[in-house]
Amino acid sequence: MELNACFPCKLKAPETFQEFLSKRRGTFQEFIQKTKETLCKYSEAVSLLEMDRTKHTANNNHLRVSSSTDVNLGPSANPQARPTDFDFLTVIGKGTFGKVLLAKRKSDHKFYAVKVLQKKVILKKKEQKNIMAERNVLLKSLKHPFLVGLHYSFQTAEKLYFVLDYVNGGELFFHLQRERCFLEPRARFYAAELASAIGYLHSLNIVYRDLKPENILLDSQGHVVLTDFGLCKEGIEPEGTTSTFCGTPEYLAPEVLRKQPYDRTVDWWCLGAVLYEMLYGLPPFYSRDVSEMYDHILHKPLHLPPGKSMAACDLLRGLLQKNPQHRMGAKADFLELKTHVFFSPINWDDLYHKRITPPYNPKVNGPADLRHIDPEFTKEMVPNSVGRTPEFSSCLGTSSSNAFKGFSYVQGDEAFLN
């Protein structure tokens, strides 16, 4: 694919693209720390980020939780699931609280992606509510074709384990990194499957809040699988709002930056940003200067370089409308996107039932084929501790299990879904 098709003259140079890629791998908190000096030029963004940082950072010297949860669940509240049930083979992802590993269950030799989270780190950052929210969203999202499925979860004294569908077609981020941008039919297909997934979450009164290429996987056939529900917010009715400052800098909606109450339309803004990036190679308001990027998100008109269809440009203008009340999806949510002319080639029933052949096939040769998994992950050694079931944790004691009371889950226990 020609470079000019992905980087029109008014966009940043390829060097900027590479800088963008390198920064994207850091966590949000790491990103804040690295760019703090730059943000000092922009007092509004600094104050917002500092408020969020204060809210989400715990005192490292205090790991105690409320005595109201003073019930020790033991190494695993589900005696049928233990780390020793698995052979942990390869690191396939990582984040602030732990790693995602390819694992083979010894009893049936099936492959899973097991997300292993460190309780100590979660407690230090006071993120236990978000982790439990992620589990709750996974429980509710089992029946949608474009959302990652949870098989079961369990815990030891030191760690939490999500046993998830194994998806090895690669992150959308990985494919964008390699190809720089996609032609419209391919971008439309991914955007449609993402819109279907987001619309389903909204029907459950869940706002996703962190849509970005790193959280979008492709399965072995090339269908989208949305993963990582750590920033989801439950209980947001159609007219409801929330105000937590969270997300990823390049994709923050203006109302989130302004610390205003926001609603489910933040997800449609993020979808617009991802669609823009798929078509043009960079997020819509990207700048290497973070303070300038925030200023662009808040004030700069959307720039649509030539070469895209009128339908694509109209959809991008609708999704990337700075005023959330005028944004596409504000009135009828997912229905507004389904009826937009950009998606007119899509039969939504066929899409949902995966009767549409994906425009790209990863062509993986079974579970052991890791060609689409970022080598940054796979080159890491698998920690020995992930496969152990500790008898006692002197550093955490019983309070760590108490903080995650009710975490463990076995697929088929529908009581948790009501």
Side-chain angles (χ1 to χ4, degrees):
M1 191 173 293
E2 293 183 3
L3 187 63
N4 290 340
C6 301
F7 288 95
C9 59
K10 293 186 179 181
L11 288 180
K12 297 293 183 182
E15 291 80 13
T16 301
F17 181 82
Q18 293 303 323
E19 292 174 3
F20 168 64
L21 293 178
S22 65
K23 283 194 290 187
R24 284 277 290 276
R25 279 300 180 203
T27 65
F28 185 39
Q29 293 299 330
E30 290 170 346
F31 186 85
I32 293 170
Q33 189 64 34
K34 291 177 183 177
T35 58
K36 187 175 179 181
E37 292 183 4
T38 303
L39 289 172
C40 288
K41 301 175 186 175
Y42 192 40
S43 59
E44 180 181 22
V46 171
S47 62
L48 292 175
L49 288 169
E50 288 299 330
M51 281 190 286
D52 185 65
R53 188 163 176 255
T54 300
K55 182 176 180 180
H56 290 287
T57 302
N59 187 326
N60 290 347
N61 295 324
H62 297 281
L63 302 180
R64 292 177 296 179
V65 296
S66 171
S67 59
S68 63
T69 59
D70 192 16
V71 177
N72 187 358
L73 299 179
S76 172
N78 178 2
Q80 297 179 342
R82 295 179 182 275
T84 49
D85 294 345
F86 298 91
D87 288 322
F88 292 94
L89 306 175
T90 311
V91 177
I92 57 175
K94 59 183 179 179
T96 304
F97 307 117
K99 301 178 187 297
V100 181
L101 298 109
L102 170 60
K104 184 167 69 173
R105 193 161 60 184
K106 296 173 183 177
S107 61
D108 56 11
H109 304 290
K110 290 184 178 180
F111 289 85
Y112 298 93
V114 180
K115 189 171 186 176
V116 185
L117 306 177
Q118 299 282 348
K119 287 184 178 181
K120 183 177 181 180
V121 179
I122 295 168
L123 290 171
K124 281 184 177 180
K125 294 180 178 290
K126 290 187 177 178
E127 291 285 351
Q128 54 265 42
K129 287 185 179 179
N130 284 346
I131 298 302
M132 295 299 284
E134 177 174 15
R135 169 196 170 276
N136 293 341
V137 172
L138 282 165
L139 290 174
K140 295 175 182 177
S141 305
L142 293 172
K143 298 178 181 178
H144 195 278
F146 309 127
L147 295 172
V148 71
L150 172 68
H151 292 267
Y152 53 93
S153 57
F154 60 96
Q155 63 180 302
T156 66
E158 297 176 349
K159 297 178 178 66
L160 304 178
Y161 294 77
F162 288 104
V163 182
L164 305 163
D165 292 334
Y166 172 51
V167 182
N168 67 334
E171 294 177 358
L172 194 68
F173 175 80
F174 180 80
H175 295 287
L176 268 175
Q177 181 179 6
R178 187 170 57 188
E179 301 183 41
R180 298 294 178 91
C181 65
F182 303 143
L183 297 176
E184 274 192 36
R186 184 173 175 183
R188 174 173 29 246
F189 178 81
Y190 295 150
E193 292 194 335
L194 289 169
S196 177
I198 292 169
Y200 176 75
L201 290 175
H202 288 182
S203 74
L204 300 175
N205 294 329
I206 296 167
V207 182
Y208 183 73
R209 300 198 295 187
D210 198 25
L211 188 66
K212 57 183 178 180
E214 293 93 326
N215 289 344
I216 303 164
L217 306 179
L218 300 184
D219 68 14
S220 58
Q221 284 76 47
H223 291 283
V224 157
V225 179
L226 189 59
T227 187
D228 199 341
F229 302 107
L231 292 185
C232 283
K233 180 69 174 180
E234 301 176 272
I236 304 298
E237 303 286 338
E239 304 300 322
T241 62
T242 186
S243 58
T244 306
F245 184 82
C246 66
T248 300
E250 291 84 6
Y251 305 94
L252 290 174
E255 61 270 28
V256 178
L257 262 180
R258 291 193 176 100
K259 200 68 176 180
Q260 296 173 340
Y262 57 86
D263 56 22
R264 57 184 62 186
T265 58
V266 296
D267 286 340
W268 301 128
W269 171 278
C270 291
L271 180 63
V274 169
L275 176 59
Y276 188 104
E277 185 173 353
M278 287 193 287
L279 293 173
Y280 291 113
L282 287 172
F285 300 100
Y286 179 74
S287 169
R288 71 180 73 191
D289 184 307
V290 181
S291 61
E292 182 179 72
M293 180 170 67
Y294 285 145
D295 188 67
H296 288 176
I297 291 172
L298 290 171
H299 306 297
K300 186 179 179 180
L302 178 65
H303 174 60
L304 295 170
K308 308 304 175 189
S309 70
M310 291 180 61
C313 292
D314 185 76
L315 179 63
L316 288 171
R317 290 190 192 98
L319 294 173
L320 294 170
Q321 166 60 244
K322 295 183 191 298
N323 185 335
Q325 294 179 341
H326 299 158
R327 191 173 300 152
M328 182 169 294
K331 296 179 180 178
D333 203 53
F334 176 40
L335 182 62
E336 289 184 53
L337 278 77
K338 289 178 70 173
T339 56
H340 191 274
V341 64
F342 180 73
F343 291 117
S344 58
I346 299 292
N347 180 309
W348 291 96
D349 188 62
D350 286 346
L351 183 92
Y352 180 87
H353 291 98
K354 295 186 176 181
R355 292 194 289 258
I356 299 177
T357 302
Y360 168 78
N361 188 335
K363 298 180 180 178
V364 294
N365 297 318
D369 188 346
L370 302 175
R371 75 178 79 175
H372 300 301
I373 308 297
D374 197 315
E376 179 184 338
F377 302 142
T378 58
K379 69 183 180 184
E380 287 200 12
M381 296 292 293
V382 175
N384 291 329
S385 62
V386 300
R388 291 202 303 260
T389 305
E391 297 298 325
F392 177 72
S393 176
S394 60
C395 62
L396 293 178
T398 61
S399 62
S400 62
S401 278
N402 302 337
F404 304 100
K405 182 181 179 181
F407 174 84
S408 299
Y409 159 78
V410 178
Q411 191 177 47
D413 191 347
E414 300 300 325
F416 285 102
L417 301 179
N418 298 322

